Amino acid sequence: MSNVYSPTDPRFAHLGPEKFRLRQTDAVLLDAKFETKPIGFFRDAAMRFAKSKISIVALIAISIIGFMAIVGPYMTPYGYNDQNLDYINLPPKIPALARFGIFQGTRVLQNRRVDALSDTSRYPEGSIIRIDNRRVMGGVELCDVTVDYYRYMGIDDDVYFLFGTDYLGRDLWTRVWRGTRVSLIIAIVSVICNVSIGLVYGSIAGYYGGSIDMTMMRITEIIDAMPDVVVVTLFILYFGSGLISIILALAVKNWIGTARMIRGQFYRFKNHEYVLAARTLGANDARLMFRHILPNSIGPIITRAMIAIPSAIFTESFLAYIGLGIRAPESSIGVLLSEGQKVLLYYPEQTFFPAVIISILMIGFNLLSNGLRDAFDPTQRGTE
Amino acid sequence: MRKRPLLAVLLLLACIFVGCGSPAAPEPEPQKPAVYGTLYTYVGTVSTLNPFQSSESAGTTILDMCSLGLYEYFPNATRDGFSLEGQLAEGDPVPLNDEQTLWEIKIRKNAKWENGDPITVDDVIYSLQQVMDPVLLTRRASQVASEFITIKGAVEYYQQGNTNSVPWESVGIKKVDDYTLRIETTGFATVQDVKTQFSTKYTHLVHKPTWESCFSADRTTNSYGTPNGGFMSCGPFILKEWVEGSQFVFERNPDYVLADQISLEKAIFYQITDSNTALEMFLSGNLDYVSVGAAAIEQYEDDPRLITTLPESVTSICVNIGNSKNNNALGNQNFRKALFYATDRESIAKLVKGQPATWIVASAILSSVESGVPFRQLPEAQAYLPANNGFDPELARQYFQKALDELGLDKVTVTMIYSETSTNTKAVTEFLHKSWPEVLGPKFELKIEAVSSSMASSLRKGWKDNPDSYELAWGGWEVSLTDVANGFKVYTSWFNNKNEPYFNEYYDDLWQKANQSERGKTDNDYRLDLCFEMEQILIDEALTIPVYETPGRAMVSDRIELPLGGYKAGFGWGWMWAKVVE
Amino acid sequence: MVITLFIIITIGFMVIRLMPGSMYADDADMTAAQMEILRAKYHLDKPIPVQYGIFLRDLVLKGDWGTSIKMYIGVPVFDVLKMKIPVSMYNNLFSLLISLPIGVLLGIIAAVRKNSIVDYTTSFMVVIFISVPSFIFATLLQYYAAFRSGWFPIIYEASATGFAKLHSLTLPIIALSLGPIARVTRYLRAELAETINSDFMLLARTKGLTEAQAILRHGIRNSLVPLANVVIPMFTHIMSGSMVIERIFSIPGMGGLMVSSINNTDYPLTLAVLIFYSVVSLVTVLVVDLAYGVIDPRIRIGGRHIE
């Protein structure tokens, strides 16, 4: 005896079919089929990413620098290695900004003899702009002279260098953007290397666990215990200072962090039920590792990579400072910064521009990685 | 005799007294000079004060301050030049035979160590024995045994190793009495030779008890003069404090043999490696001296304190003529000459704020100490220099074409190594990287490769083990500034530290004539003639391509009066005779 | 750990000996015979495995790390390190000690006042300090805070003691700390901002704690755990930074020793420096592992808590 309704049951005879009415004869069943397309992982992330204004600004800033790194070197008539020894260490001169009193191509020359100021062979006509701080030292009257450095060097008024020039008279605008390009290439390639190595290594260690994991982690410990400075220095000394060896030197230790993180992720996910299910259905190890477990780590990996890019640029500049940077005459942010440091007190502008660019890249990649982390975070999936 | 500027001043004073109309007045008692003030200066890296191991120029400066040698360069009484006079030695060495191979040197009787121990000939002999000790084997052993003079039996002694086959008694260094030393040389030597040999820092004295206490258990190493080991001063100043890597503090040594010549009470030598730091220290009054680098020169070129000195070394490109690459193109003289004439030295001079150089002997090197005239300024030394500072693109192309024909090559690619940390050579390398191919055309290519400075030098010297160790590299010899002929040794066949595998018997012969023959040692004109010929050979061979010279630039504060009023090549600044004139 | 160290020593020894370049390449004017004798004296004429055997024998039997052969001739390398380490450690530890609290403090302020002007200013400073290399800051600090204003000595005063010494070390320490402070701040801000939004913080506030109380008692404690992760790289970062800073401020520390010993091909010294740095970094790892247990007995493995 059941209580289930049946039209033939005499107990329900009073409930005839006429008492019932179809509710949805013309309406569509909502759960029958999605009208909209399903939102994939990346699409979902992209949508959430687009909602964050700061991340978009960061992305735009990086894109602009990236764009300039590609086209910047071609925007002036000078090549990155065009030398002119009459144009050494010129200050920046940007015609559009000159009227606001900045980047006029002026420079203060200290400790100049007052009696030599009228000597037009040293100070060509119209080169002296201002004279300050007159004083007598050792019986000689000295002063600080502000000069239009372009005229002082006897250069025509229509010649200008937007970021100035370096010790070989090379255009710094071209070199800065070319340097940005080289630095970005070094950073991105080295990060790709370290992510790839770390990914495979960490996956294997994390997935198999046990003694394999044990051995592999000991190896990373050994590599990790060697200080970065030492490893990188020895590496470069051994293999020379080419682009490839710098990239490898940057990757040689950095993959360990990625490997550890991936291993951690594997430990977290490998015992989940869905992995068990996939295994039961016959998925092999490689498929389990790369198809089922690894995608969980995409967010952290991308976030990590984003932070690693500017820090690779940073390490490269450190290498350049100790004389192990990229091979001349090629330029890079690090090379420009360390060249700039040598003359920082005399020609600060040579440090200023690369420093600004590395800062923007640093801010940009950091904000971008924050944005991406939020966007990729699986716990936030589907929320708005 | 040592010169006594002070004595001259006192005599002058005495004359004035006499002139004042008191002829009966007794001669004023010789007064001690006013001793006061502290000198603040700085030096580069000094890792050891062991005179037998030190090879840093900064170490030489420090050793000069606090240790004692037989001879030393002293400022003249007239304070316009300098000469080599006895410091521990009392007077010049005296030849005892006609062949001039046996010498006697008297030493002063009033010399003392910092702790009061008297200094006798035993100390001198002990020091010489230790520097040449066959087991200890210091780095300077070979130079003490044989450089300006060759001490009899010394080479055999230091090279015997553990064999114990050559007794110290067979070496030509003997004690006559407590204050007389006898030296035997293997060949003819002049007074000047002996004096020069015993003015080098590696013949300075070490204190026996201290030295003995610094031996390791097996007596194969000795830590004397290192920050952890002992050290005993006996020079013009006493080393009071040494904070490794940071500073040296000196105080005047009242027991110094020539203490009356010293006017400073104290001297502090900081160790600063960063040039900006040093300049800031100078400008804020914390240093009395600073060397001004090329980048800073624009801001100080008019400063009255700026002192410019003659360049002491020619920066040149060493060519590995034994390199087998490119069909041994570097061994081809025409190819090397093509490089020589393709070098735009005037532009390079602008780049490094120096002067173009087409010669081997640097501008500061003296033709002789007596005349004080730099070798470079002799008209004969200029006659054979190429015109237009050796830049002649047309000639360079001709030589290059000739070389290509001889070598049977269509294209030559050479690699130049340089160090990133050396600002000047880096810039010039980048310049040549661009300008040489522009001059020589598309058949020539220059590759450049940055290596660390130590790597650069070991590659440059590495041709002995590996003939292809380098192709082109930067070099610049710092040789004796007072003895022009001696400096040519770096191209002789037997010089061990050579940059280029160059072996030329005729050249070797010239060098020997100039440096070791009796005529060369005594006849200055003859020696100079040989020098002209040697330099001509080297320029013509182009096995080293001179490029530029950079003058020394420094500022010295107004409160310091230097013994010669400035810097003199071969003498230096003379810090120990400086005066504070506040 | 001992095994790790042994492997590092072995690899280090091999790598250093295999470096191109010869020990007596550019030196005092020595004859070939003299050089040969010297090579033999330091066993450099033997094959590398034999050299390694000799090194290990001396190390194990006599505790002898070798003698400096080029820079501090005749001095046991152990003594060289003993002389250099205290100077550097003084700076490095000081720098670590001030950068941790300052970084934590700034991080908290920035996280609590998230998206305020304070947060933006801090973030801006953080980015500048992280991105511009310390050698630029050191040069600028030296110029403005020492040379132009005269507030601090331009170089390290080696013979000074007590306060004067600290005074002369202020600028190097600041220059060394800027980077680490920025790192800690950035890390803590991110962690804390996340923690503040987590459920247990909501609970803490619900049960009546004020914002400040909740953050102090619950938030920070939770954010400090992952901070241990940055301390290790931070310490090595400070050590590598000191290489540059020590040069600029003329501090006779470990910083330049590594590079100059490599440059001078002083093998025993290079190896000793390598071992020293390795030991420091191994010990740091150990300390941080132990610290984990102290700060948070249940080591955090679970997922992030985000609303």
Side-chain angles (χ1 to χ4, degrees):
Chain A
M1 199 67 177
S2 82
N3 283 331
V4 176
Y5 168 77
S6 150
T8 52
D9 194 323
R11 286 182 295 164
F12 302 118
H14 63 285
L15 295 172
E18 71 286 352
K19 295 255 168 100
F20 292 90
R21 180 165 60 85
L22 275 172
R23 194 135 161 75
Q24 292 163 307
T25 46
D26 49 353
V28 189
L29 273 177
L30 270 175
D31 57 349
K33 171 169 158 279
F34 287 112
E35 264 297 272
T36 52
K37 283 188 180 162
I39 300 179
F41 178 69
F42 286 99
R43 211 182 138 79
D44 176 59
M47 276 170 60
R48 249 174 301 119
F49 181 79
K51 287 226 157 25
S52 155
K53 283 198 190 71
I54 288 183
S55 309
I56 297 293
V57 172
L59 189 64
I60 292 172
I62 293 172
S63 309
I64 292 175
I65 290 186
F67 175 74
M68 287 306 286
I70 296 168
V71 303
Y74 309 110
M75 289 169 74
T76 61
Y78 312 102
Y80 79 101
N81 195 24
D82 285 357
Q83 306 169 358
N84 186 337
L85 299 189
D86 293 323
Y87 292 177
I88 292 176
N89 291 325
L90 294 178
K93 184 173 171 184
I94 307 175
L97 294 177
R99 78 178 79 149
F100 302 112
I102 48 169
F103 301 127
Q104 294 166 303
T106 58
R107 178 168 290 156
V108 181
L109 302 173
Q110 292 166 349
N111 309 306
R112 291 306 175 107
R113 292 173 78 108
V114 172
D115 51 9
L117 290 179
S118 53
D119 180 357
T120 49
S121 64
R122 283 188 67 185
Y123 303 94
E125 200 112 349
S127 61
I128 297 175
I129 291 176
R130 209 174 61 235
I131 296 166
D132 306 288
N133 194 15
R134 280 168 177 258
R135 63 203 181 272
V136 175
M137 184 191 279
V140 182
E141 197 180 357
L142 297 179
C143 61
D144 294 348
V145 194
T146 309
V147 294
D148 177 335
Y149 202 75
Y150 284 70
R151 287 194 185 162
Y152 174 76
M153 294 294 281
I155 300 168
D156 292 340
D157 278 354
D158 56 345
V159 175
Y160 58 89
F161 293 91
L162 297 173
F163 285 0
T165 60
D166 71 355
Y167 57 95
L168 278 163
R170 296 180 292 205
D171 178 29
L172 276 173
W173 170 274
T174 313
R175 284 185 69 75
V176 163
W177 294 118
R178 191 177 169 102
T180 311
R181 182 199 300 177
V182 172
S183 288
L184 281 175
I185 291 174
I186 292 178
I188 291 171
V189 176
S190 81
V191 167
I192 290 175
C193 286
N194 90 46
V195 167
S196 327
I197 302 172
L199 208 132
V200 174
Y201 196 94
S203 307
I204 294 173
Y207 181 78
Y208 291 105
S211 59
I212 296 181
D213 177 39
M214 177 76 177
T215 326
M216 291 177 87
M217 282 299 119
R218 278 295 94 73
I219 295 174
T220 61
E221 240 168 57
I222 290 167
I223 301 176
D224 209 29
M226 299 203 189
D228 299 18
V229 202
V230 180
V231 173
V232 174
T233 317
L234 286 176
F235 203 88
I236 305 268
L237 281 178
Y238 208 77
F239 294 104
S241 62
L243 189 67
I244 307 281
S245 65
I246 289 182
I247 289 173
L248 291 179
L250 291 177
V252 77
K253 270 199 72 184
N254 289 344
W255 62 271
I256 290 172
T258 319
R260 290 223 175 108
M261 186 202 73
I262 303 275
R263 171 178 170 271
Q265 292 279 345
F266 266 78
Y267 265 79
R268 201 168 129 192
F269 288 106
K270 74 174 177 188
N271 294 326
H272 276 207
E273 288 80 358
Y274 79 91
V275 179
L276 190 65
R279 195 195 296 276
T280 332
L281 289 173
N284 61 15
D285 283 357
R287 189 175 163 81
L288 279 175
M289 277 157 79
F290 296 108
R291 184 76 189 88
H292 294 288
I293 306 180
L294 200 62
N296 287 299
S297 319
I298 285 181
I301 291 174
I302 293 182
T303 313
R304 218 188 141 77
M306 286 299 142
I307 298 183
I309 289 177
S311 77
I313 298 179
F314 189 85
T315 313
E316 192 264 329
S317 68
F318 172 76
L319 281 177
Y321 181 79
I322 57 174
L324 301 171
I326 192 102
R327 197 173 292 187
E330 195 53 85
S331 122
S332 75
I333 298 272
V335 166
L336 293 170
L337 280 177
S338 69
E339 292 294 342
Q341 192 269 342
K342 289 179 196 159
V343 291
L344 182 60
L345 298 181
Y346 314 105
Y347 315 124
E349 66 277 356
Q350 293 190 10
T351 310
F352 178 75
F353 294 107
V356 165
I357 287 178
I358 195 177
S359 302
I360 294 178
L361 281 178
M362 205 55 111
I363 302 177
F365 277 109
N366 274 313
L367 294 179
L368 192 63
S369 78
N370 284 347
L372 287 174
R373 186 186 57 202
D374 292 348
F376 277 122
D377 198 320
T379 59
Q380 289 200 349
R381 206 171 161 192
T383 60
E384 299 217 332
Chain B
M1 263 309 290
R2 71 197 163 99
K3 305 285 190 294
R4 297 185 185 209
L6 181 84
L7 210 63
V9 175
L10 288 176
L11 278 175
L12 195 73
L13 277 176
C15 293
I16 292 167
F17 272 110
V18 173
C20 280
S22 47
E27 236 184 47
E29 260 182 52
Q31 288 172 350
K32 291 264 170 202
V35 176
Y36 69 95
T38 307
L39 169 82
Y40 298 90
T41 181
Y42 75 109
V43 289
T45 315
V46 179
S47 44
T48 180
L49 290 185
N50 181 340
F52 313 152
Q53 302 280 21
S54 169
S55 61
E56 301 139 331
S57 61
T60 310
T61 312
I62 297 297
L63 279 172
D64 252 340
M65 292 291 288
C66 56
S67 72
L68 202 55
L70 288 171
Y71 294 91
E72 178 65 79
Y73 286 101
F74 284 91
N76 284 344
T78 45
R79 302 213 146 212
D80 58 352
F82 59 95
S83 55
L84 198 49
E85 307 294 341
Q87 189 178 28
L88 178 61
E90 193 161 36
D92 285 353
V94 182
L96 299 181
N97 56 2
D98 290 342
E99 297 82 48
Q100 301 210 12
T101 55
L102 204 57
W103 296 86
E104 204 166 80
I105 301 172
K106 291 248 181 245
I107 67 166
R108 293 177 203 275
K109 298 192 171 68
N110 59 344
K112 273 185 200 148
W113 290 99
E114 177 187 352
N115 66 355
D117 290 354
I119 295 175
T120 66
V121 158
D122 292 328
D123 292 279
V124 181
I125 295 180
Y126 180 76
S127 303
L128 291 172
Q129 185 182 357
Q130 290 305 313
V131 66
M132 294 190 283
D133 189 276
V135 180
L136 192 62
L137 198 68
T138 67
R139 290 151 113 185
R140 297 295 193 174
S142 58
Q143 278 169 293
V144 174
S146 170
E147 197 181 16
F148 298 93
I149 60 171
T150 302
I151 298 171
K152 186 177 154 257
V155 176
E156 294 76 15
Y157 179 76
Y158 86 79
Q159 286 186 352
Q160 65 179 308
N162 288 321
T163 55
N164 243 339
S165 52
V166 186
W168 172 248
E169 287 66 37
S170 70
V171 181
I173 299 173
K174 296 273 158 18
K175 173 181 177 177
V176 178
D177 59 53
D178 270 359
Y179 297 99
T180 315
L181 177 71
R182 193 168 287 172
I183 302 286
E184 196 176 344
T185 63
T186 52
F188 171 85
T190 62
V191 172
Q192 192 66 23
D193 286 337
V194 179
K195 277 159 71 177
T196 312
Q197 178 78 3
F198 290 106
S199 71
T200 51
K201 299 306 156 257
Y202 30 88
T203 58
H204 274 203
L205 304 192
V206 295
H207 186 240
K208 185 173 178 180
T210 317
W211 177 267
E212 287 290 331
S213 71
C214 291
F215 267 114
S216 62
D218 55 359
R219 287 183 78 87
T220 56
T221 60
N222 189 302
S223 64
Y224 185 85
T226 60
N228 309 67
F231 184 79
M232 187 68 77
S233 306
C234 57
F237 291 83
I238 293 171
L239 178 61
K240 281 285 170 194
E241 192 187 359
W242 177 14
V243 185
E244 201 280 329
S246 205
Q247 63 183 28
F248 295 89
V249 179
F250 293 104
E251 259 171 39
R252 181 173 175 276
N253 180 3
D255 293 332
Y256 173 53
V257 282
L258 301 166
D260 56 346
Q261 297 192 358
I262 306 300
S263 319
L264 287 173
E265 183 56 51
K266 224 175 150 188
I268 294 178
F269 284 66
Y270 293 105
Q271 282 187 266
I272 301 174
T273 38
D274 190 90
S275 57
N276 283 339
T277 307
L279 187 58
E280 285 170 14
M281 289 283 282
F282 176 80
L283 294 175
S284 57
N286 291 314
L287 280 182
D288 291 319
Y289 155 86
V290 70
S291 123
V292 182
I297 197 66
E298 190 169 55
Q299 303 291 359
Y300 298 98
E301 57 184 332
D302 275 0
D303 197 302
R305 293 169 297 184
L306 187 73
I307 297 175
T308 306
T309 61
L310 288 175
E312 298 187 352
S313 152
V314 183
T315 310
S316 328
I317 302 165
C318 305
V319 184
N320 183 5
I321 53 176
N323 194 298
S324 64
K325 284 176 202 147
N326 296 310
N327 274 353
N328 184 235
L330 294 172
N332 184 299
Q333 190 182 1
N334 285 323
F335 179 64
R336 298 197 300 267
K337 286 187 128 170
L339 297 181
F340 185 100
Y341 287 105
T343 308
D344 181 1
R345 295 181 178 76
E346 264 162 60
S347 296
I348 291 170
K350 245 187 265 175
L351 196 60
V352 298
K353 300 202 164 62
Q355 65 186 54
T358 51
W359 46 78
I360 307 294
V361 179
S363 298
I365 296 175
L366 300 176
S367 56
S368 74
V369 179
E370 297 77 45
S371 69
V373 178
F375 177 82
R376 203 67 282 144
Q377 287 171 18
L378 299 174
E380 299 95 314
Q382 291 168 3
Y384 47 79
L385 296 178
N388 194 24
N389 291 315
F391 181 49
D392 190 338
E394 198 43 53
L395 192 60
R397 279 190 285 272
Q398 283 172 19
Y399 276 121
F400 185 52
Q401 195 51 50
K402 232 191 273 178
L404 285 181
D405 294 344
E406 285 172 15
L407 294 164
L409 290 172
D410 294 333
K411 190 174 183 210
V412 181
T413 307
V414 288
T415 309
M416 177 185 270
I417 52 173
Y418 71 99
S419 158
E420 279 281 332
T421 39
S422 155
T423 319
N424 276 351
T425 53
K426 182 188 173 200
V428 179
T429 308
E430 287 183 71
F431 175 77
L432 291 176
H433 175 61
K434 200 160 166 61
S435 77
W436 271 358
E438 280 170 9
V439 173
L440 296 175
K443 291 179 180 170
F444 175 83
E445 193 193 344
L446 179 69
K447 284 189 182 160
I448 58 178
E449 199 176 314
V451 292
S452 75
S453 54
S454 69
M455 186 84 87
S457 66
S458 62
L459 289 174
R460 202 170 63 226
K461 316 281 182 192
W463 54 264
K464 285 173 220 116
D465 304 323
N466 168 18
D468 292 344
S469 69
Y470 80 97
E471 295 176 49
L472 301 173
W474 287 100
W477 286 109
E478 282 178 19
V479 292
S480 166
L481 297 172
T482 47
D483 186 350
V484 56
N486 178 278
F488 282 101
K489 71 182 173 196
V490 299
Y491 302 101
T492 57
S493 302
W494 52 80
F495 185 70
N496 192 55
N497 221 5
K498 286 161 77 81
N499 287 332
E500 306 87 3
Y502 178 64
F503 304 97
N504 180 342
E505 279 177 28
Y506 179 69
Y507 177 87
D508 293 347
D509 189 45
L510 291 180
W511 188 84
Q512 267 179 325
K513 274 190 209 154
N515 287 281
Q516 289 168 348
S517 76
E518 196 168 335
R519 186 168 172 212
K521 281 170 185 277
T522 49
D523 182 348
N524 203 35
D525 289 339
Y526 173 70
R527 190 166 68 228
L528 285 177
D529 281 341
L530 291 166
C531 290
F532 300 140
E533 194 177 349
M534 284 191 278
E535 189 172 38
Q536 254 171 297
I537 291 177
L538 293 173
I539 293 174
D540 193 50
E541 288 273 10
L543 66 138
T544 176
I545 301 168
V547 180
Y548 67 92
E549 286 184 330
T550 41
R553 297 186 185 94
M555 292 196 280
V556 176
S557 85
D558 298 336
R559 61 187 281 275
I560 297 297
E561 187 185 303
L562 291 166
L564 297 184
Y567 181 91
K568 274 277 185 319
F571 176 76
W573 296 97
W575 293 124
M576 58 190 196
W577 300 284
K579 271 187 198 140
V580 176
V581 285
E582 274 170 315
Chain C
M1 204 171 124
V2 175
I3 296 169
T4 313
L5 197 60
F6 173 75
I7 297 174
I8 290 173
I9 292 177
T10 311
I11 297 175
F13 189 92
M14 298 301 166
V15 170
I16 291 167
R17 288 299 150 102
L18 287 172
M19 290 281 293
S22 117
M23 178 193 143
Y24 285 106
D26 189 23
D27 213 335
D29 187 4
M30 286 191 279
T31 60
Q34 188 182 0
M35 260 184 220
E36 276 318 304
I37 302 170
L38 267 176
R39 281 214 186 93
K41 179 172 163 180
Y42 295 113
H43 310 297
L44 295 175
D45 52 342
K46 300 187 177 66
I48 289 169
V50 178
Q51 290 184 34
Y52 180 61
I54 294 172
F55 170 76
L56 271 192
R57 188 194 64 200
D58 287 354
L59 180 62
V60 175
L61 296 183
K62 302 184 215 157
D64 179 5
W65 290 91
T67 319
S68 173
I69 54 178
K70 206 64 187 294
M71 294 174 65
Y72 303 93
I73 298 165
V75 185
V77 287
F78 192 67
D79 290 349
V80 177
L81 291 194
K82 257 197 326 210
M83 172 175 80
K84 295 278 190 183
I85 289 171
V87 189
S88 280
M89 277 297 136
Y90 195 78
N91 289 334
N92 293 358
L93 285 179
F94 236 107
S95 166
L96 194 69
L97 284 182
I98 67 165
S99 41
L100 265 180
I102 294 183
V104 167
L105 198 69
L106 286 178
I108 293 173
I109 295 172
V112 173
R113 299 252 174 277
K114 200 175 172 185
N115 298 334
S116 72
I117 185 79
V118 185
D119 181 28
Y120 291 135
T121 326
T122 331
S123 302
F124 180 73
M125 301 297 277
V126 160
V127 168
I128 300 283
F129 291 152
I130 290 183
S131 48
V132 180
S134 53
F135 55 82
I136 304 281
F137 282 118
T139 314
L140 290 176
L141 269 177
Q142 191 185 37
Y143 185 71
Y144 287 104
F147 174 59
R148 287 297 278 278
S149 62
W151 296 333
F152 298 99
I154 296 172
I155 57 168
Y156 165 68
E157 282 168 8
S159 46
T161 49
F163 179 74
K165 189 181 191 108
L166 195 60
H167 187 221
S168 73
L169 278 174
T170 312
L171 290 184
I173 290 174
I174 292 178
L176 265 182
S177 308
L178 291 178
I181 289 178
R183 267 156 220 274
V184 175
T185 309
R186 182 178 70 176
Y187 204 86
L188 199 70
R189 182 194 167 275
E191 280 294 328
L192 200 57
E194 233 171 61
T195 318
I196 288 176
N197 288 332
S198 61
D199 299 341
F200 71 88
M201 289 295 288
L202 190 65
L203 177 72
R205 282 199 297 272
T206 331
K207 78 177 185 188
L209 294 180
T210 62
E211 182 87 29
Q213 282 172 319
I215 290 173
L216 277 176
R217 294 197 193 156
H218 302 277
I220 293 172
R221 196 180 165 90
N222 265 285
S223 309
L224 281 181
V225 180
L227 190 63
N229 278 328
V230 272
V231 173
I232 307 175
M234 203 170 100
F235 197 69
T236 47
H237 178 83
I238 291 180
M239 286 199 305
S240 60
S242 64
M243 195 156 128
V244 174
I245 307 274
E246 285 179 1
R247 182 185 143 85
I248 291 173
F249 289 98
S250 292
I251 301 172
M254 287 291 290
L257 200 59
M258 181 73 213
V259 174
S260 55
S261 71
I262 293 179
N263 272 338
N264 284 297
T265 50
D266 195 335
Y267 302 133
L269 197 54
T270 315
L271 187 62
V273 178
L274 178 82
I275 294 169
F276 165 73
Y277 278 125
S278 308
V279 169
V280 169
S281 98
L282 284 174
V283 169
T284 323
V285 174
L286 193 72
V287 169
V288 170
D289 277 351
L290 295 176
Y292 264 130
V294 178
I295 304 172
D296 187 1
R298 44 169 191 97
I299 293 176
R300 212 164 80 150
I301 300 168
R304 294 162 187 276
H305 309 279
I306 297 166
E307 53 175 339

